[in-house]
Amino acid sequence: MSNNSKKLFLETYGCQMNVADSEVVASIMEHDGFTIIKTREEADVILVNTCSIRENAETRIRGRVQGFSELKKKNPKLLIGVIGCMAERLGEKLFDQEKNVNIIVGPDAYMDLPLLVKKAENGEKAINVELSLTETYKDICPSRIDETSISGFVSITRGCNNFCTYCIVPYTRGRERSRNPESILQEVNDLSEKGYKEVTLLGQNVNSFVFKNSISEVSFPELLEMVAISVPNMRIRFATSHPKDMSDDTLRVIAKNDNICNFIHLPVQSGSDSVLKDMRRKYTQEWYKNRIEAIHKIIPGCGISSDIFCGFHNESEEDFNQTIELMKWAKFDLAYMFKYSERPGTFAYKNLADNVPEDVKQRRLEEMIVLQNQISLENNQGDIGKVFEVLIEGISKRSEQDVYGRTSQNKVIVFPKKEYKIGDLANVIVKTCTKATLVGEAV
Ligand code: SAH
Ligand code: SF4
Ligand code: F3S
């Protein structure tokens, strides 16, 4: 790291895939001689890794990019790059819409970044939004940006083939590709050697992972077990699972391997069959419930979370009530809730009118949130008196005397630090709780 090396500031929005991708980008740029810095004021290049999932995600990022004008005034040579999903969705148009942007790079073109930065330095337009059928960055060892973290991400698939009618991801991330298991295992082992205690295997639809070559085929449950066995001292998590691909085989692998966390994020989106059909989710309410029952049967005590959004095309009060009923039935520990945001380019944009009024969407969203808060609180209250193994992730923000960590079920728990260090496992009894946090004491 020389003092006169160029400095890169990376800012990341969106999902965990983007967090993982930013580490790939950091690694590519470090190999090109850049130093990653934590203060944008000193940067020669700022890259913003962006998200297009809902309109408000893009609005927020645009505000951010416009805010860089001040920095550009102070340092006219400063280069701003927009990378990731928004770069892919908008392409060239971004140059016209956002005057501060010098570089535009889509999620499959990061290998080209060093070249594009050089082009931009020469005052040329620098853009690559080519999608790939094969790129998995399998030879890049991601730079871990947050060195204090004990938990890392490893992408196992890229892209998505599901084309849910409302969703922009298949257009911004291209076709689904599964990464070579050998390179996945190598990266997981690298995390382990660096002292990480937990890894989350990532993909838009992880359980559709399948890697084929001329001699063999590796499925998701097989990969999950290979990872669990290869790093017995690490906790394993994975996200996101699609209900249509949630197999009993996967559930049995989780039940069998102690180091695979008992937690599944299983987005339901809606409780109404007609809405699910319009969303092209490829399952029914009955199928979803059957998957939840299978989880409870095969992995007793498993934590479950979900994504749900209201106000999609033609969603009636009756449809919405079915979502509410499903939430009451499923009793998710946690749910990420949204209102439908129409995305240009999707099937729904072209064919399914965005016909639920904004005030109705808002009211439905608030109703879901109130209900889910109550369910989360009740679920947490049900944990009082139980003992959980907790991986300690950090010092509590409220008190230096306390640490926080997560249970296998992914619940955050705070308890007195005593002799414990970050990265330790502790058995903790739950004493009290809020809707978001358990509070306990090590036993
Ligand atoms: N691959 C994951 C989720 C990716 S996006 C899956 O299939 O479950 C994360 C969540 O954003 C989705 O689960 C969905 O609930 C929400 N979402 C996606 N597109 C949306 C849109 N156009 N409007 C509102 N919410 C959306
Ligand atoms: Fe989007 Fe559906 Fe793919 Fe998830 S599975 S990323 S919601 S298209
Ligand atoms: Fe957003 Fe792209 Fe992830 S649209 S949610 S950053 S895949």
Side-chain angles (χ1 to χ4, degrees), residues 7-9 36-43 46:
K7 298 185 184 69
L8 169 67
F9 181 78
I36 313 296
I37 57 165
K38 291 191 164 67
T39 45
R40 54 180 184 278
E41 285 74 19
E42 290 158 37
I46 297 179

Side-chain angles (χ1 to χ4, degrees), residues 14-15 18 50-53 85 169 173 204:
C15 63
N18 263 14
T50 60
C51 175
S52 290
I53 200 79
C85 290
V169 173
R173 296 217 159 232
Q204 288 302 343

Side-chain angles (χ1 to χ4, degrees), residues 128-405:
N128 187 344
V129 288
E130 206 89 358
L131 285 173
S132 157
L133 294 174
T134 52
E135 181 63 88
T136 58
Y137 301 109
K138 70 177 171 52
D139 299 324
I140 302 292
C141 182
S143 289
R144 303 299 164 180
I145 296 170
D146 181 2
E147 292 125 5
T148 61
S149 179
I150 51 145
S151 182
F153 296 126
V154 171
S155 323
I156 64 165
T157 68
R158 293 186 73 81
C160 184
N161 283 351
N162 288 320
F163 288 95
C164 302
T165 54
Y166 53 84
C167 183
I168 196 69
V169 173
Y171 305 92
T172 62
R173 296 217 159 232
R175 295 295 58 73
E176 184 179 286
R177 288 138 274 171
S178 296
R179 185 171 157 190
N180 189 328
E182 259 175 53
S183 100
I184 295 170
L185 287 172
Q186 206 170 21
E187 200 177 311
V188 172
N189 278 288
D190 172 69
L191 280 176
S192 169
E193 279 160 26
K194 285 182 173 142
Y196 281 72
K197 306 289 184 215
E198 183 177 82
V199 59
T200 304
L201 307 177
L202 289 183
Q204 288 302 343
N205 183 358
V206 273
N207 43 0
S208 72
F209 174 95
V210 58
F211 188 83
K212 292 181 200 148
N213 62 19
S214 51
I215 33 175
S216 65
E217 183 175 307
V218 178
S219 67
F220 179 66
E222 286 165 345
L223 176 78
L224 190 59
E225 189 149 49
M226 283 159 71
V227 171
I229 291 168
S230 92
V231 284
N233 296 322
M234 275 177 102
R235 276 186 169 187
I236 322 292
R237 298 184 185 276
F238 56 89
T240 297
S241 303
H242 194 298
K244 77 177 166 60
D245 299 313
M246 191 74 245
S247 70
D248 287 358
D249 280 352
T250 296
L251 300 177
R252 280 190 283 267
V253 166
I254 301 169
K256 191 171 127 198
N257 293 275
D258 284 342
N259 58 334
I260 305 178
C261 288
N262 289 354
F263 173 70
I264 295 174
H265 180 57
L266 202 64
V268 66
Q269 315 299 6
S270 168
S272 151
D273 281 348
S274 81
V275 174
L276 286 170
K277 193 155 186 278
D278 282 340
M279 289 178 168
R280 209 188 278 147
R281 285 292 286 182
K282 305 184 185 93
Y283 54 83
T284 58
Q285 182 202 100
E286 189 189 350
W287 170 273
Y288 187 85
K289 284 183 162 175
N290 169 281
R291 293 296 77 208
I292 297 283
E293 280 165 348
I295 294 171
H296 289 315
K297 193 161 144 238
I298 299 172
I299 318 166
C302 189
I304 303 176
S305 68
S306 198
D307 294 347
I308 312 167
F309 70 96
C310 63
F312 188 55
H313 170 72
N314 279 356
E315 185 189 69
S316 64
E317 280 311 307
E318 173 51 27
D319 291 320
F320 177 66
N321 283 335
Q322 289 183 12
T323 299
I324 292 288
E325 287 309 311
L326 182 82
M327 290 171 72
K328 287 180 183 162
W329 178 87
K331 295 195 173 76
F332 300 118
D333 294 299
L334 180 82
Y336 299 95
M337 293 162 285
F338 314 101
K339 44 187 175 175
Y340 175 52
S341 165
E342 190 177 56
R343 307 310 291 133
T346 58
F347 181 89
Y349 178 81
K350 293 173 200 152
N351 302 289
L352 307 169
D354 182 10
N355 55 6
V356 175
E358 179 59 30
D359 59 328
V360 176
K361 286 182 184 172
Q362 186 60 33
R363 173 178 52 75
R364 289 179 186 169
L365 177 62
E366 281 163 22
E367 192 178 327
M368 293 198 299
I369 292 172
V370 168
L371 172 63
Q372 184 55 46
N373 283 347
Q374 186 195 335
I375 293 170
S376 296
L377 178 65
E378 282 168 13
N379 283 4
N380 283 354
Q381 284 166 341
D383 285 341
I384 292 174
K386 292 185 193 162
V387 175
F388 293 95
E389 189 180 62
V390 176
L391 175 61
I392 301 173
E393 290 176 30
I395 307 291
S396 163
K397 286 187 191 91
R398 295 229 180 120
S399 156
E400 281 190 11
Q401 310 300 313
D402 292 338
V403 286
Y404 72 90

Side-chain angles (χ1 to χ4, degrees), residues 53-76:
I53 200 79
R54 282 168 292 275
E55 193 181 357
N56 58 12
E58 290 197 356
T59 310
R60 193 166 146 235
I61 293 165
R62 281 181 193 276
R64 192 74 180 150
V65 169
Q66 288 154 10
F68 291 141
S69 295
E70 286 298 306
L71 292 172
K72 280 207 151 187
K73 258 184 228 150
K74 281 186 209 142
N75 173 12

